[in-house]
Amino acid sequence: YDGKTIVFSYRPGGSDYYNLYEIQADGSGLKRLTDGPFDDIEPAWMPDDSLVFVSTRGRRWVNCWLTHVAIMYCCDRNGKNIRQISANIEHDNTPWPLPDGRILYQRWEYIDRSQVHYHHLWTINPDGTGQMVYYGNFHPGVLMIDAKPIPNSNQVVSIFSPGHGRKEHAGSIQIVSPKNGPDHEASAVRITAEKDFTYRDPYPISTDLFLAARQHQLVWVD
């Protein structure tokens, strides 16, 4: 959070797997943090200087398709001491810390339910305890992903991608408040145009200003 070090997932050309790397904002100090025949993706910093990310290290497959499942792991900021913190049989995605210490993430819920309709927002403690739905798990037909807390509020911003989810998590930008419970549909408010599902990766600057990707551009959204 000092604006100097960036952590990211990268697969060099000619190789088979994504791993975690860090680099300084001036382009110096490229350093590989994880290795092995796994895909390590979607890292985020935790307040204690550790990292949370998702990985295929669990060696499981999506029940209905030919792709590996990525679930949540954490590690020291140097990539050491990797430990599993979720045990989903399908994908967890885009973990991000909340101000109260929990991790907010997308969980694909696939136990005695439709395989394509339930991918909503959940929370978990950094040690893997306290897994709990955060918003939306009662309402099918949308992928809620890339959620982050909005500064100085009790709300989060998230992408709502239609159906089973579109490429690159493209969808509408929505503000979600959990105060009325996880199943209150009116607690999610769309701030981008109806049926415009071209936004990705929203980042909250304040309660009324967001940075986002839109197709091949970076845009401000108020």
Side-chain angles (χ1 to χ4, degrees):
Y1 298 99
D2 60 6
K4 297 178 180 178
T5 305
I6 300 165
V7 63
F8 63 103
S9 179
Y10 175 53
R11 181 180 66 83
S15 63
D16 294 324
Y17 300 101
Y18 287 86
N19 292 120
L20 303 187
Y21 289 75
E22 71 171 34
I23 196 171
Q24 300 308 300
D26 64 3
S28 66
L30 178 65
K31 180 181 178 182
R32 183 174 177 168
L33 303 178
T34 62
D35 56 20
F38 319 100
D39 290 311
D40 302 323
I41 60 175
E42 300 174 351
W45 293 107
M46 293 296 289
D48 64 356
D49 210 29
S50 65
L51 297 172
V52 61
F53 62 102
V54 299
S55 176
T56 60
R57 292 170 181 270
R59 296 182 180 273
R60 61 193 67 171
W61 294 80
V62 172
N63 284 326
C64 59
W65 195 243
L66 302 177
T67 183
H68 285 110
V69 168
I71 57 177
M72 274 190 295
Y73 288 77
C74 61
C75 66
D76 300 339
R77 67 94 33 87
N78 61 4
K80 306 301 182 183
N81 195 24
I82 295 174
R83 49 211 183 273
Q84 180 180 331
I85 60 173
S86 70
N88 195 2
I89 64 170
E90 305 298 343
H91 288 290
D92 299 324
N93 285 108
T94 60
W96 200 269
L98 289 169
D100 63 8
R102 293 176 298 163
I103 297 169
L104 177 68
Y105 67 104
Q106 183 277 143
R107 173 183 166 90
W108 183 5
E109 181 59 63
Y110 195 166
I111 301 174
D112 296 331
R113 310 181 87 178
S114 164
Q115 67 267 39
V116 297
H117 285 151
Y118 295 91
H119 354 60
H120 300 96
L121 300 180
W122 288 64
T123 58
I124 194 170
N125 293 327
D127 63 359
T129 63
Q131 187 174 354
M132 183 65 65
V133 61
Y134 182 83
Y135 180 76
N137 197 48
F138 189 72
H139 305 292
V142 63
L143 169 75
M144 302 177 185
I145 201 162
D146 289 314
K148 298 176 179 67
I150 299 173
N152 303 312
S153 78
N154 64 351
Q155 300 171 316
V156 303
V157 63
S158 178
I159 288 293
F160 281 29
S161 191
H164 201 29
R166 297 189 177 180
K167 290 182 179 179
E168 302 294 333
H169 306 170
S172 63
I173 299 178
Q174 307 244 357
I175 294 175
V176 178
S177 173
K179 64 181 180 179
N180 292 316
D183 301 323
H184 188 244
E185 286 191 278
S187 294
V189 178
R190 186 182 64 252
I191 64 170
T192 50
E194 186 176 2
K195 297 183 180 180
D196 185 350
F197 304 118
T198 59
Y199 294 90
R200 308 186 312 275
D201 300 316
Y203 192 92
I205 304 301
S206 67
T207 55
D208 56 5
L209 184 63
F210 306 90
L211 182 66
R214 189 183 190 193
Q215 297 176 335
H216 299 292
Q217 296 178 317
L218 287 174
V219 297
W220 290 112
V221 181
D222 63 16

